[in-house]
Amino acid sequence: MKVAEMPVESVFPRLEALLPHVQKPIQYVGGELNSTVKDWDSSDVRWALMYPDAYEVGLPNQGVMILYEVLNEREGVLAERTYSVWPDLEALMREHGVPQFTVDAHRPVRAFDVFGLSFSTELGYTNMLTALDLAGIPLNSADRTVDDPVVLAGGHAAFNPEPIADFIDAAVIGDGEQAVLEITDVVRAWKAEGRPGGRDELLLRLARTGGVYVPRFYDVEYLADGRISRVVPNRSGVPWRVSKHTVMDLDEWPYPKQPLVPLAETVHERMSVEIFRGCTRGCRFCQAGMITRPVRERSITGIGEMVEAGLKATGFEEVGLLSLSSADHSEIADVAKGLADRYEDDKIGLSLPSTRVDAFNIDLANELTRNGRRSGLTFAPEGGSERIRKVINKMVSEEDLIRTVATAYGNGWRQVKLYFMCGLPTETDEDVLQIAEMAKKVIQKGREVTGQNDIRCTVSIGGFVPKPHTPFQWAPQLGVEETDARLEKLRDAIRGDRKYGRNIGFRYHDGKPGIIEGLLSRGDRRVGAVIRAVYEDGGRFDGWREHFSYDRWMRACESALPAFGLDLSWYTTRERTVEEVLPWDHLDSGLDKDWLWDDWQDALDETEVEDCRWTPCFDCGVCPQLDTHIQIGPTGKKLLPLTVVNAGAADAG
């Protein structure tokens, strides 16, 4: 069917009739404060942007919000948003022939030029297939015509897009701001020329930029034992390795300028500003820290301007200062004090994501809570024992943690949350049981400092999943049964303690979702058959505990993988060797593979590595390879204007 035959009009009249029959219909209505609807006919390149999860999770996503604004600021370019629909609406849409739609103008997703999906987790893959099918876009990229949109993956999970290689047309790794504009220019030129060479020619032009990965232009060859022999381009002019995009001056990209204000309740009810990008602490488990190098700080004045513009545009009463380790910003003390001073009368609260134990100080904490409510503090030691923290390069001693917690309790906090992982490389039962001991010491210290017994500590445990482009990409993953047995011992150790156990909350996920995430994170193209089988078996919203079905994934693995002579454990609990070609080796995150391997050996030797922000370079490869460099302050500037925002309002009234 040609686009010309499909009038691009709103599907809302047909959708509206279905909304009284679904939960939370408000999430499908659109019209949020600061949303944008542009004229279809006067736009020559049109993007549908999707965070493949429910509205309440997808709308606050900074990545999609930034790209939405960057694209819509461009003359002749239109961007609209779409989110995953819940199963109740999906069933009605199928019954009544309503296609996947955008929430901005309720246009059908298939009518757009580019369908861009941002994956922060691999568990969103089945939601992508649902959206493609509802949109009327063939699931397999090979079956699409010149009239179907280019299906483009981005986000952290796109650093290994091989498991979804059959379903996407292209992937972008790294920062999206400049990348989407470059892609827009390529699409615009191809359309202006009359779409020569069809879909294949457009994808070839994108691939030849060097910064867009098009899986169909690469052949994967396998060894007899199932490992990859090599990945080789099958077209001339297509690069052997595809490069990561890195935005170097964040002050030039002060987005979002007009943050979206949700209509329905979402997971984050606040205005957020990214204060820096990248992290060089070198935690070996952390994919986000590895793939976003180098560190690039936004200036203190840039942060101040973004906060001021964002608050005016939204009316939010809380500002989140976002990054991978916000307390590491070289001017965080001045940022926090300056913002707290400025918005004291407005009672604007500030928040940081979880704080590093060694970056926490009470002055910073007091500034953050001066205008807002004093909620609990979250710290992430990640490993229970000193030994395992050396393995993962999380350089926090137990003394550091106890001293920090004592300071917090002594200054009026009553609740502390500690985040750990289970299943880390070389981990033993004893390493995990140390978590219980640490939690008890935290409660004991809190009682000692405050003289009160109403001290609370919550221990939250996530399962470790080895990720691509990290030193742990070669590591075996702990199996489901072993993970659950280890967590059970820890739970018994906490609950069995009469003196402290009642004051320690314990939250954990069993090992099942983690092992599936492990399959998807380190999978290759053959895993696509598993994803499709899960989708066809009804798999949706796999990131949600109530929707995730381990049995469904196991059935799919058992039906799809034997054809390749493989099974689930081959992708998850198997250790990789140094000579193995990994599925993502042709995607260049800037990190030198030899450096990653050396760091993996350092982990096995329990050797810690310093943060290269403050020490000589360790040759990870990122800066020279990508022609980038670490950008940190201090700038020496203060947050201006220093006047309290409402100072003149009373006199004027």
Side-chain angles (χ1 to χ4, degrees):
M1 189 193 295
K2 292 200 181 301
V3 172
E5 295 167 14
M6 182 168 52
V8 182
E9 54 191 37
S10 171
V11 303
F12 194 71
R14 287 186 287 154
L15 174 69
E16 191 175 20
L18 310 180
L19 295 182
H21 308 289
V22 301
Q23 290 186 317
K24 297 187 183 172
I26 188 75
Q27 64 189 310
Y28 307 119
V29 170
E32 299 93 347
L33 182 62
N34 300 325
S35 61
T36 304
V37 177
K38 293 178 81 170
D39 181 55
W40 183 269
D41 294 326
S42 60
S43 302
D44 48 18
V45 181
R46 307 171 183 108
W47 287 70
L49 298 172
M50 181 178 202
Y51 188 83
D53 207 327
Y55 177 93
E56 62 202 75
V57 179
L59 184 128
N61 178 261
Q62 287 288 105
V64 171
M65 214 184 283
I66 288 168
L67 298 184
Y68 175 73
E69 205 171 292
V70 166
L71 287 163
N72 277 322
E73 273 191 0
R74 265 292 175 91
E75 192 71 33
V77 182
L78 168 158
E80 298 188 10
R81 297 161 295 124
T82 184
Y83 304 103
S84 294
V85 299
W86 284 110
D88 58 354
L89 182 58
E90 182 194 339
L92 288 169
M93 286 166 67
R94 291 186 186 281
E95 185 185 332
H96 295 274
V98 176
Q100 180 80 23
F101 56 88
T102 60
V103 294
D104 295 292
H106 297 93
R107 290 164 174 147
V109 165
R110 186 170 182 262
F112 288 76
D113 298 307
V114 186
F115 181 25
L117 297 107
S118 178
F119 292 101
S120 52
T121 166
E122 298 84 359
L123 292 171
Y125 292 159
T126 50
N127 280 2
M128 171 182 69
L129 295 187
T130 308
L132 287 172
D133 193 38
L134 283 171
I137 301 167
L139 295 189
N140 273 25
S141 59
D143 299 331
R144 292 176 197 144
T145 71
V146 71
D147 293 327
D148 288 301
V150 171
V151 178
L152 177 73
H156 287 183
F159 274 77
N160 174 26
E162 291 300 279
I164 52 172
D166 289 344
F167 314 123
I168 62 171
D169 296 300
V172 167
I173 62 172
D175 298 333
E177 290 94 334
Q178 291 156 326
V180 294
L181 296 177
E182 288 166 18
I183 290 167
T184 297
D185 291 340
V186 173
V187 173
R188 175 182 276 143
W190 172 77
K191 285 179 73 176
E193 292 164 29
R195 307 198 295 184
R199 187 178 193 81
D200 205 61
E201 169 67 19
L202 173 58
L203 293 174
L204 198 53
R205 290 185 185 188
L206 289 170
R208 284 178 173 158
T209 65
V212 179
Y213 173 55
V214 180
R216 72 168 64 182
F217 297 144
Y218 294 80
D219 293 333
V220 183
E221 299 168 6
Y222 299 97
L223 300 168
D225 63 4
R227 290 178 303 152
I228 293 171
S229 154
R230 64 179 192 150
V231 179
V232 56
N234 57 33
R235 296 288 183 95
S236 65
V238 171
W240 281 81
R241 281 166 71 78
V242 178
S243 298
K244 176 179 89 167
H245 294 261
T246 305
V247 169
M248 277 314 294
D249 187 348
L250 290 190
D251 280 344
E252 286 182 9
W253 298 87
Y255 296 92
K257 299 171 184 171
Q258 303 270 314
L260 292 162
V261 181
L263 294 173
E265 190 177 335
T266 59
V267 289
H268 297 304
E269 298 282 344
R270 63 176 179 228
M271 194 271 289
S272 297
V273 171
E274 183 186 29
I275 63 173
F276 70 87
R277 217 171 264 186
C279 182
T280 46
R281 288 255 182 190
C283 301
R284 295 178 174 125
F285 58 84
C286 180
Q287 185 191 41
M290 291 289 169
I291 63 178
T292 58
R293 293 177 174 212
V295 170
R296 291 145 286 150
E297 286 189 354
R298 201 181 294 281
S299 70
I300 184 169
T301 46
I303 294 167
E305 286 159 11
M306 282 189 70
V307 170
E308 185 171 12
L311 289 174
K312 272 183 188 159
T314 62
F316 278 127
E317 294 177 349
E318 185 183 340
V319 177
L321 303 176
L322 301 188
S323 76
L324 292 173
S325 184
S326 293
D328 284 344
H329 190 289
S330 61
E331 297 180 288
I332 189 63
D334 285 339
V335 168
K337 183 176 188 321
L339 291 174
D341 283 347
R342 233 169 123 175
Y343 297 107
E344 190 158 19
D345 285 1
D346 292 352
K347 293 287 179 261
I348 300 294
L350 302 175
S351 65
L352 292 188
S354 75
T355 316
R356 284 186 62 96
V357 170
D358 50 353
F360 175 87
N361 64 67
I362 208 65
D363 293 337
L364 175 60
N366 284 334
E367 294 298 356
L368 291 170
T369 57
R370 194 192 328 162
N371 303 339
R373 55 194 177 82
R374 179 169 287 202
S375 54
L377 291 169
T378 301
F379 300 107
E382 310 288 1
S385 68
E386 198 93 11
R387 186 193 77 79
I388 205 75
R389 289 195 293 277
K390 286 181 178 172
V391 170
I392 63 177
N393 206 44
K394 187 86 178 188
M395 292 178 284
V396 174
S397 69
E398 189 171 283
E399 293 73 42
D400 285 340
L401 179 72
I402 301 302
R403 185 169 56 248
T404 298
V405 164
T407 306
Y409 285 135
N411 280 270
W413 272 270
R414 289 288 171 269
Q415 173 102 11
V416 168
K417 184 177 179 182
L418 302 177
Y419 181 81
F420 298 91
M421 281 190 284
C422 176
L424 290 161
T426 78
E427 181 186 272
T428 63
D429 288 357
E430 186 50 40
D431 291 314
V432 171
L433 289 172
Q434 286 290 312
I435 295 171
E437 294 308 307
M438 190 183 274
K440 291 173 195 173
K441 287 176 184 172
V442 164
I443 296 292
Q444 183 184 2
K445 192 69 177 177
R447 289 178 177 175
E448 185 186 306
V449 168
T450 63
Q452 295 176 4
N453 284 340
D454 66 337
I455 298 298
R456 293 280 305 160
C457 171
T458 300
V459 169
S460 186
I461 312 255
F464 165 68
V465 178
K467 294 283 183 175
H469 307 281
T470 70
F472 288 165
Q473 63 185 2
W474 291 278
Q477 190 173 355
L478 193 65
V480 170
E481 290 78 16
E482 299 90 331
T483 300
D484 291 350
R486 206 164 273 176
L487 288 170
E488 208 168 303
K489 287 178 184 170
L490 176 59
R491 186 190 64 199
D492 292 346
I494 290 173
R495 290 189 179 162
D497 188 282
R498 289 189 170 180
K499 192 172 182 185
Y500 302 113
R502 292 169 75 177
N503 293 70
I504 302 171
F506 186 48
R507 293 187 195 145
Y508 65 94
H509 302 290
D510 63 39
K512 290 175 179 175
I515 212 79
I516 299 307
E517 190 183 331
L519 163 74
L520 299 175
S521 76
R522 292 195 292 177
D524 52 41
R525 293 187 182 186
R526 296 167 291 190
V527 172
V530 177
I531 298 167
R532 181 153 189 167
V534 169
Y535 163 72
E536 288 173 349
D537 193 20
R540 310 284 188 274
F541 291 96
D542 286 298
W544 294 67
R545 189 180 294 188
E546 59 268 38
H547 292 277
F548 174 81
S549 165
Y550 183 67
D551 293 341
R552 187 188 286 135
W553 281 95
M554 291 304 291
R555 282 196 301 273
C557 287
E558 285 157 12
S559 69
L561 293 178
F564 307 111
L566 305 173
D567 60 12
L568 176 62
S569 64
W570 192 85
Y571 285 105
T572 53
T573 56
R574 175 179 72 91
E575 185 168 353
R576 278 71 165 163
T577 57
V578 65
E579 68 275 1
E580 181 164 346
V581 176
L582 302 173
W584 50 89
D585 277 349
H586 56 298
L587 300 171
D588 186 7
S589 62
L591 295 159
D592 185 72
K593 193 176 178 184
D594 291 338
W595 177 81
L596 287 171
W597 176 263
D598 290 344
D599 206 40
W600 169 225
Q601 301 312 298
D602 283 344
L604 297 175
D605 294 339
E606 299 168 21
T607 302
E608 295 172 322
V609 178
E610 296 281 341
D611 183 340
C612 68
R613 246 173 305 191
W614 321 114
T615 62
C617 171
F618 291 111
D619 295 325
C620 76
V622 167
C623 293
Q625 200 152 308
L626 300 176
D627 192 24
T628 57
H629 58 278
I630 288 174
Q631 290 181 335
I632 53 172
T635 60
K637 295 181 180 175
K638 295 290 180 197
L639 201 60
L640 297 170
L642 282 176
T643 53
V644 176
V645 165
N646 274 342
D651 306 333

